[in-house]
Amino acid sequence: MSASIEIAGVSKVYDGGVRAVDAVAMDIRQGEFFSLLGPSGCGKTTTLRMIAGFEMPSSGAIRVDGADITHVPAHKRDMGMVFQNYALFPHRTVAENVAFGLRMRGLDKATIAAKVKAALAMVELSGLEDRRPAQLSGGQQQRVALARAIVIAPRVLLCDEPLGALDKKLRQQMQFELKQLQKKLGLTLVFVTHDQEEALAMSDRIAVMNGGRVEQVGTPTEIYNQPTTRFVADFIGDTNIFRGERVGPSLDVGKSLILALPPAETEGTGVLSVALRPEKIRLSPRTDATITAGSSTHGIVENTNFLGGAVLYRITLEGGHRVLVQQPNAGTSRLFVPGDGVTLDWTPADLVVLKD
Ligand SMILES: Nc1ncnc2c1ncn2[C@@H]1O[C@H](COP(=O)(O)OP(=O)(O)OP(=O)(O)O)[C@@H](O)[C@H]1O
Ligand SMILES: [Mg+2]
């Protein structure tokens, strides 16, 4: 049976005064694939280790299925953990590595053998029982670590950058397999990564962390399409951020660029930041036709970055702003080259207003 986890106002101040985690609050649902995403040092591992019981919060509480476990020791929490570097025992065989948690629990030999066999079958490693970690590929070692964590039938699986050491192809394959396994077992999985694409691809929901705090919790589409803060907009994918002064229904961002605000945002005064994703801007060859102020402008292509399925352009607007524009590499769209004059246009509703 998998469990829900409630992190209630948890902070962690390490000896020496580093506030690694600062008043974090989030609810992780039963059976959910939940990712902690953020840059190096933002407190992801510390948060995960507090859920596991390897670190004690300085304040706040952690509840599992409603029960306060803040002071329950790690080995009594029924949680499996996969560490970034796998942490396999180098001198023990695959089977012995996987059996470790079961031995600790004092199960009999026959039960252990049966559970190890089933766990290895689950991660498709049957037949490699007698090898040692050094005789396995990176991806296979990764699966041993996974089998070792799931063999105890944990209520919660905690994974700290488990795919970090794998090459891209294998990483994508393991992402797919881990997600399938999680769904099949109905596991509550807390997954730490600093890779935004990985978090977007795998998660039911994501908590974006920054400086020990949670900036936003949401589904991948919410995080990508409606980032609420400048940090989230900037950290997830490429984006164009403009800051300016509200003038009626428009935002004056200087250098003679005026942006029409989304219909819901036309009231108010003061300074505002907005984000506009590169793929929300359309490009066409520059013509002398008049343009719609507020939702189009002219520019010059500075450089192009061919991504295969798409092309990323860096464009300097007439007034001097620089923007990123991404266009699909479809048969019908023409490719521009540096020096081309272009017209850019977009839909005001695609602008996302940010909190700073
Ligand atoms: N045992 C410790 N003692 C003191 N400070 C620590 C300790 N462990 C971590 N820190 C500090 O706490 C902050 C958060 O560290 P943490 O390991 O949780 O970050 P992270 O998000 O997992 O980063 P990374 O992506 O690099 O793994 C950092 O500033 C780190 O230097
Ligand atoms: Mg870490």
Side-chain angles (χ1 to χ4, degrees):
M1 264 304 287
S2 69
S4 63
I5 306 166
E6 186 186 340
I7 299 172
V10 165
S11 296
K12 175 69 184 184
V13 182
Y14 282 113
D15 297 343
V18 179
R19 184 171 285 270
V21 171
D22 191 7
V24 162
M26 54 200 175
D27 289 322
I28 300 166
R29 298 171 191 147
Q30 181 191 346
E32 184 168 49
F33 196 117
F34 191 92
S35 293
L36 302 179
L37 172 68
S40 182
C42 73
K44 305 180 297 291
T45 295
T46 304
T47 304
L48 201 71
R49 289 175 61 83
M50 288 193 288
I51 298 172
F54 299 133
E55 294 290 349
M56 280 294 134
S58 309
S59 59
I62 298 174
R63 300 188 193 96
V64 170
D65 281 346
D68 192 331
I69 58 146
T70 315
H71 301 287
V72 173
H75 67 276
K76 293 196 172 149
R77 290 191 184 195
D78 256 345
M79 294 182 182
M81 178 132 174
V82 179
F83 298 88
Q84 178 166 11
N85 52 4
Y86 318 147
L88 298 176
F89 303 111
H91 302 299
R92 297 193 189 184
T93 66
V94 166
E96 287 163 353
N97 265 282
V98 176
F100 179 75
L102 301 171
R103 288 230 185 83
M104 296 286 286
R105 283 165 172 74
L107 299 185
D108 65 79
K109 263 193 164 163
T111 311
I112 292 179
K115 283 182 187 283
V116 167
K117 190 164 188 247
L120 287 173
M122 191 102 72
V123 298
E124 294 179 22
L125 283 184
S126 302
L128 300 186
E129 288 80 354
D130 297 327
R131 297 228 194 141
R132 290 175 204 285
Q135 299 168 313
L136 299 174
S137 72
Q140 289 167 335
Q141 290 180 45
Q142 178 55 53
R143 286 185 227 195
V144 176
L146 197 55
R148 186 175 62 176
I150 59 173
V151 76
I152 60 167
R155 288 193 292 174
V156 171
L157 182 60
L158 307 170
C159 296
D160 193 354
E161 310 233 11
L163 312 179
L166 306 180
D167 67 50
K168 190 166 181 211
K169 199 86 187 243
L170 190 55
R171 192 178 169 111
Q172 280 176 342
Q173 184 192 335
M174 284 300 295
Q175 285 174 354
F176 183 73
E177 289 176 9
L178 181 59
K179 176 95 188 176
Q180 274 211 320
L181 189 67
Q182 180 261 340
K183 286 288 169 236
K184 188 161 119 195
L185 300 178
L187 274 174
T188 304
L189 199 158
V190 188
F191 186 86
V192 164
T193 181
H194 64 264
D195 179 337
Q196 36 110 358
E197 279 178 26
E198 184 165 274
L200 291 175
M202 298 186 77
S203 316
D204 294 316
R205 286 191 307 151
I206 301 169
V208 181
M209 296 185 67
N210 177 30
R213 292 180 157 269
V214 173
E215 291 262 336
Q216 185 174 0
V217 178
T219 63
T221 40
E222 284 166 354
I223 295 281
Y224 187 84
N225 289 336
Q226 288 114 35
T228 55
T229 68
R230 188 186 180 104
F231 178 83
V232 175
D234 217 17
F235 189 71
I236 311 289
D238 290 319
T239 199
N240 298 295
I241 295 180
F242 300 97
R243 188 174 169 78
E245 189 82 32
R246 241 189 242 244
V247 184
S250 304
L251 193 66
D252 182 350
V253 297
K255 300 178 187 171
S256 63
L257 182 63
I258 307 272
L259 306 174
L261 286 166
E265 292 288 343
T266 53
E267 299 288 319
T269 54
V271 172
L272 200 66
S273 294
V274 295
L276 183 60
R277 292 284 182 197
E279 69 274 18
K280 302 285 189 192
I281 303 175
R282 294 171 291 268
L283 280 189
S284 50
R286 179 171 179 155
T287 63
D288 289 331
T290 42
I291 54 166
T292 318
S295 62
S296 61
T297 188
H298 295 308
I300 304 259
V301 174
E302 293 295 337
N303 56 52
T304 72
N305 191 355
F306 186 64
L307 306 175
V311 187
L312 192 63
Y313 296 99
R314 188 172 292 279
I315 292 171
T316 301
L317 304 184
E318 266 177 349
H321 284 284
R322 301 183 84 197
V323 297
L324 285 174
V325 178
Q326 185 174 312
Q327 303 288 279
N329 177 24
T332 49
S333 60
R334 76 164 266 194
L335 302 182
F336 296 96
V337 295
D340 280 351
V342 286
T343 300
L344 303 79
D345 74 278
W346 58 91
T347 308
D350 285 333
L351 292 180
V352 178
V353 175
L354 304 173
K355 284 187 286 186
D356 279 317

